[in-house]
Amino acid sequence: MFRSEYADVPAVELPIHDAVLARAAEFGDTPALIDGTDGTTLTYEQVDRFHRRVAAALAEAGVRKGDVLALHSPNTVAFPTAFYAATRAGATVTTVHPLATADEFAKQLRDSAARWIVTVSPLLDAARRAAELAGGVREIFVCDSASGHRSLIDMLASAAPEPQVGIDPAEDVAALPYSSGTTGIPKGVMLTHRQIATNLAQLHPAIPAGPGDRVLAVLPFFHIYGLTALMNAPLRQGATVVVLPRFDLEQFLAAIQNHCITALYVAPPIVLALAKHPAVAQYDLSSLKYVISAAAPLDARLAAVCSARLGLPPVGQAYGMTELSPGTHVVPLDAMHDAPPGTVGKLIAGTEMRIVSLDDPGKDLPAGESGEILIRGPQIMKGYLGRPDATTAMIDPDGWLHTGDVGHVDEDGWLFVVDRVKELIKYKGFQVAPAELEALLLTHPGIADAAVIGRYDDDGNEAPHAYVVRQPSAADLTEAEIMLYVAERVAPYKRIRQVTFIVGVPRAASGKILRRQLREST
């Protein structure tokens, strides 16, 4: 068993809004959130006051403890206000990909039993359609303004009393992001107030922040990585978060220059752009102090090229998963020069790890040998919503979460993730479940069978690659037709990027697809 070098931290027994904003009065007029596109700024005092007023208005509208509110928005300065207002009103927040189709959104609404939606006017059509398909949604609010819908801006004027909701941090679910776990279709991950808040405290000794630090939030808040590293963690410590709605390289670089960004939390495709794109040379990025990459594997050589170009310490990595609130490992800021290339870091405070044999899961392996990574700690999820069997398959009776990732630890405690047991595809940091795409492909009348795996493209992104068996009556079915069929029915990051036609999908006697054979095929 491997244990963290850091001292244990006590569990944080606070609702997430209090855990994050407890020092808002102390930070006062310090900018908390800045819109990187138009400069709109909210101070800590405003974020604290605004979220309390919106919470009062939500309670007045009927939001009650135990309700689920779907937050459907790109990154904006209003996103944190909506999130903390909902949790203060007693609701669980299920975060929704802003590019989800109405069908995908409706599935999440039904599964989570969401009764309320907060969205933005450009996404209102999809939200309305999803609400119609799902049923049970009482009202759709907007962050900005739209005819026929109450706005969070108007809610700031509410005179209703601030809700006084009794929250049990250990049991009550604060966030319900959706993850595919190791395989399968997306499942609601129940993260309690205590789990999320404690994970922030666990991460702090390794990656401290404070007033004067400026973090660029370009990765989405709806994803647990963005929610933790770009929203909750910096706002807990008095840093300033500069918000961008999406990744556009020129806008991203301009924001670093114009807002004197000190810290970047990114995914590998952004590291690639920083390392190789000619536009980088046109901007002054000298304010940057460090870069951390997570959400997908980062090639050590690419990391070295990026850090050398920017004149920074080596790009650090972090490791975790939605089911872990999400962090378990990170390269500490004070050890970036000492970390061996390719490591995803060391165990954060209060976290234990085992590396077990793939052939004999009961056998623990020593440093230097690769096996499945198991994690135990206070940040482990409460479970999958409505799926006790999936929860039991993920977390064993001794409290160890089986990550499905393969790795090894060196003699100094640095973890290296070398492969994945699980079949999940990570396209630019977003999770894509092969089973979901396979089920969709099989609805095409011209497809007899299909399998989907991840293959790396020329830019180093793992992308969905479909292997398709045509129906005898559809001999002229083309790759383009299949790609369009899928693209019309899923969010952009789930699209099939390549199709190979085969005579039969390789399967085991149990019917399980033998993906390894597909990966090994030319």
Side-chain angles (χ1 to χ4, degrees):
M1 188 185 302
F2 302 92
R3 291 184 172 87
S4 174
E5 299 171 4
Y6 293 98
D8 286 351
V9 296
V12 179
E13 301 290 356
L14 291 171
I16 189 60
H17 43 272
D18 288 336
V20 172
L21 297 174
R23 299 172 68 191
E26 173 188 338
F27 301 135
D29 291 336
T30 301
L33 296 156
I34 299 175
D35 187 316
T37 63
D38 65 14
T40 299
T41 300
L42 297 180
T43 66
Y44 273 88
E45 186 277 332
Q46 288 174 315
V47 172
D48 190 43
R49 177 161 47 90
F50 289 177
H51 97 275
R52 291 173 185 271
R53 285 294 85 218
V54 175
L58 289 174
E60 187 178 38
V63 176
R64 297 290 181 264
K65 181 179 178 180
D67 283 356
V68 175
L69 179 146
L71 183 46
H72 172 237
S73 171
N75 288 7
T76 71
V77 295
F79 191 108
T81 296
F83 183 91
Y84 302 131
T87 60
R88 184 171 287 281
T92 295
V93 178
T94 187
T95 50
V96 183
H97 197 306
L99 297 181
T101 65
D103 285 341
E104 292 168 328
F105 191 175
K107 287 179 184 177
Q108 187 168 335
L109 291 173
R110 281 193 295 267
D111 190 73
S112 65
R115 302 181 72 199
W116 313 90
I117 296 173
V118 173
T119 188
V120 292
S121 57
L123 302 179
L124 194 49
D125 286 346
R128 286 172 175 158
R129 177 61 180 150
E132 291 171 1
L133 291 170
V137 173
R138 286 186 55 181
E139 187 169 353
I140 301 174
F141 307 101
V142 292
C143 292
D144 44 1
S145 61
S147 177
H149 293 271
R150 282 194 272 186
S151 166
L152 267 60
I153 298 170
D154 297 331
M155 288 179 172
L156 297 177
S158 172
E162 183 180 311
Q164 302 298 318
V165 180
I167 291 175
D168 181 350
E171 292 297 326
D172 292 341
V173 177
L176 188 69
Y178 272 67
S179 168
S180 298
T182 55
T183 59
I185 62 174
K187 299 176 283 292
V189 179
M190 296 186 289
L191 300 178
T192 67
H193 292 263
R194 177 204 274 177
Q195 287 157 356
I196 301 173
T198 301
N199 196 227
L200 299 176
Q202 292 176 290
L203 288 161
H204 180 70
I207 46 172
D213 289 319
R214 288 182 161 240
V215 178
L216 185 56
V218 68
L219 297 181
F221 289 148
F222 79 82
H223 190 284
I224 192 64
Y225 178 14
L227 192 73
T228 293
L230 301 178
M231 191 177 94
N232 288 332
L235 293 179
R236 178 176 178 265
Q237 298 298 328
T240 296
V241 180
V242 178
V243 180
L244 291 177
R246 68 189 63 82
F247 179 72
D248 172 86
L249 182 60
E250 297 278 353
Q251 186 181 62
F252 173 78
L253 296 170
I256 297 173
Q257 173 181 280
N258 298 338
H259 293 280
C260 299
I261 298 299
T262 60
L264 290 179
Y265 293 84
V266 297
I270 297 179
V271 178
L272 176 66
L274 289 170
K276 297 186 176 181
H277 201 285
V280 174
Q282 301 169 20
Y283 293 84
D284 178 4
L285 309 184
S286 61
S287 61
L288 286 174
K289 295 180 180 178
Y290 64 89
V291 178
I292 290 179
S293 177
L298 176 66
D299 180 74
R301 292 164 295 182
L302 175 60
V305 172
C306 178
S307 60
R309 186 181 192 189
L310 299 179
L312 291 174
V315 174
Q317 291 196 66
Y319 174 76
M321 57 196 303
T322 307
E323 291 82 351
L324 291 164
S325 298
T328 67
H329 291 73
V330 68
V331 175
L333 297 187
D334 61 6
M336 283 187 154
H337 287 289
D338 303 322
T343 182
V344 298
K346 290 190 174 184
L347 281 165
I348 63 173
T351 306
E352 300 173 307
M353 177 176 65
R354 292 167 59 198
I355 306 291
V356 300
S357 170
L358 298 177
D359 299 319
D360 181 3
K363 179 182 178 183
D364 286 277
L365 301 177
E369 294 190 31
S370 291
E372 185 180 4
I373 301 165
L374 275 56
I375 297 291
R376 188 166 67 182
Q379 67 270 53
I380 288 179
M381 67 172 178
K382 185 175 182 178
Y384 291 119
L385 177 68
R387 292 173 171 82
D389 290 347
T391 302
T392 301
M394 192 77 163
I395 305 170
D396 68 28
D398 294 321
W400 291 99
L401 184 142
H402 295 241
T403 68
D405 287 327
V406 179
H408 66 268
V409 178
D410 72 10
E411 295 293 342
D412 296 317
W414 297 103
L415 175 66
F416 297 80
V417 179
V418 297
D419 200 356
R420 289 209 295 271
V421 175
K422 56 193 177 188
E423 300 163 348
L424 198 65
I425 300 165
K426 285 199 172 181
Y427 179 69
K428 297 186 176 181
F430 295 123
Q431 297 178 338
V432 182
E436 184 179 7
L437 292 177
E438 287 158 357
L440 176 58
L441 285 166
L442 292 176
T443 66
H444 191 290
I447 295 177
D449 201 359
V452 175
I453 64 169
R455 280 201 182 278
Y456 288 91
D457 61 23
D458 294 340
D459 293 329
N461 295 315
E462 187 184 27
H465 182 141
Y467 288 80
V468 171
V469 180
R470 295 185 182 98
Q471 293 282 10
S473 59
D476 57 348
L477 181 64
T478 67
E479 178 181 26
E481 288 173 320
I482 292 172
M483 292 170 68
L484 179 60
Y485 181 82
V486 173
E488 290 175 341
R489 291 165 173 80
V490 299
Y493 69 94
K494 295 182 184 177
R495 292 175 180 172
I496 298 293
R497 309 286 161 165
Q498 190 174 351
V499 176
T500 299
F501 292 102
I502 55 177
V503 296
V505 172
R507 295 180 184 272
S510 63
K512 183 178 179 180
I513 296 172
L514 299 175
R515 300 180 199 278
R516 183 179 297 275
Q517 290 188 18
L518 295 173
R519 292 190 185 97
E520 293 171 351
S521 66
T522 55

